[in-house]
Amino acid sequence: DISSRKIRSDFNMISSIKDYIPKIAIVGIESSGKSTLVKELSNRLNDIEVVDEYGRIYCEANTNISNHINHEDSLVGEDFINIALGHNRMVISAHRKALARNSKLVLCDTEHVVTSRFLSYYDEYKNEKLYLENMSRSQHYDLIIYLEPLELELDGTRLEYNEKERDEHNYKLKTMIKN
């Protein structure tokens, strides 16, 4: 007889259920500490698989990022779809690795709602927005941890906002995550 109380009290019992690997997503707007937290957790925890932020990987591989304005202007709707699909491939790969290595957790640096929020800055990509919204609804995470923004750290890959725009972006992303 297995009860939810028993499962919560014994994490190893959860891990013993075939093919069940919990997935946790760390989300928030730019400069909220997502990548830093994921890196720190991966350094401290054993038996986890990490999914890095694919949007950053994609942009660094496919665009000339001399500054974020050029970087953002160079993205088109198809790029956002490719970012979401690449993220999916990385999550699937991490899950397979977790199964093969008996890892206890898949930890993701961001997820589709964040990608969808960035796409919302572009009015012309209505079909891509709909596609990403559907992808967002179909993904499943056992836990989503939302990080509030920290001081904006301009590293050449981030949007520059004033404080009001940043607060609005944060509010809209939180609303999207809740829905």
Side-chain angles (χ1 to χ4, degrees):
D1 192 357
I2 299 176
S3 70
S4 59
R5 178 175 286 141
K6 173 81 172 136
I7 291 173
R8 282 191 301 271
S9 70
D10 185 0
F11 187 77
N12 289 327
M13 178 181 274
I14 292 175
S15 297
S16 70
I17 299 171
K18 185 173 175 21
D19 293 345
Y20 176 75
I21 307 288
K23 284 190 307 185
I24 296 176
I26 309 293
V27 299
I29 67 169
E30 294 178 307
S31 242
S32 58
K34 298 179 301 292
S35 298
T36 302
L37 179 60
V38 167
K39 183 178 179 181
E40 190 64 30
L41 288 171
S42 70
N43 288 336
R44 291 177 183 233
L45 300 174
N46 295 323
D47 300 332
I48 71 167
E49 299 301 325
V50 171
V51 177
D52 290 320
E53 178 189 354
Y54 189 73
R56 181 179 292 266
I57 293 167
Y58 180 88
C59 289
E60 288 174 354
N62 293 292
T63 60
N64 177 13
I65 308 177
S66 58
N67 64 53
H68 199 55
I69 301 302
N70 290 339
H71 156 68
E72 281 301 308
D73 288 345
S74 65
L75 291 175
V76 297
E78 184 179 326
D79 291 315
F80 290 93
I81 301 301
N82 290 333
I83 289 167
L85 292 172
H87 176 80
N88 280 353
R89 285 190 297 273
M90 289 177 64
V91 171
I92 291 166
S93 176
H95 185 260
R96 287 181 179 148
K97 286 179 189 174
L99 288 171
R101 298 176 183 170
N102 290 323
S103 299
K104 296 192 184 331
L105 178 68
V106 172
L107 183 62
C108 300
D109 180 346
T110 207
E111 48 76 78
H112 294 321
V113 175
V114 177
T115 304
S116 183
R117 175 67 192 127
F118 278 101
L119 182 60
S120 71
Y121 287 115
Y122 301 90
D123 293 329
E124 64 271 25
Y125 300 124
K126 293 184 184 348
N127 290 333
E128 290 86 348
K129 286 178 191 175
L130 183 60
Y131 186 81
L132 270 179
E133 286 170 11
N134 287 331
M135 284 182 81
S136 297
R137 283 198 264 322
S138 68
Q139 68 182 355
H140 170 76
Y141 289 92
D142 296 284
L143 178 64
I144 295 177
I145 299 172
Y146 192 91
L147 301 180
E148 292 293 335
L150 303 170
E151 183 177 329
L152 184 61
E153 184 179 309
L154 296 175
D155 66 357
T157 65
R158 296 195 165 104
L159 289 172
E160 290 188 48
Y161 322 88
N162 64 42
E163 194 167 329
K164 182 181 175 190
E165 290 171 322
R166 199 155 187 251
D167 289 343
E168 181 180 320
H169 181 51
N170 187 47
Y171 173 78
K172 286 181 178 179
L173 181 59
K174 272 198 277 194
T175 302
M176 290 172 77
I177 296 284
K178 289 178 184 177
N179 296 331

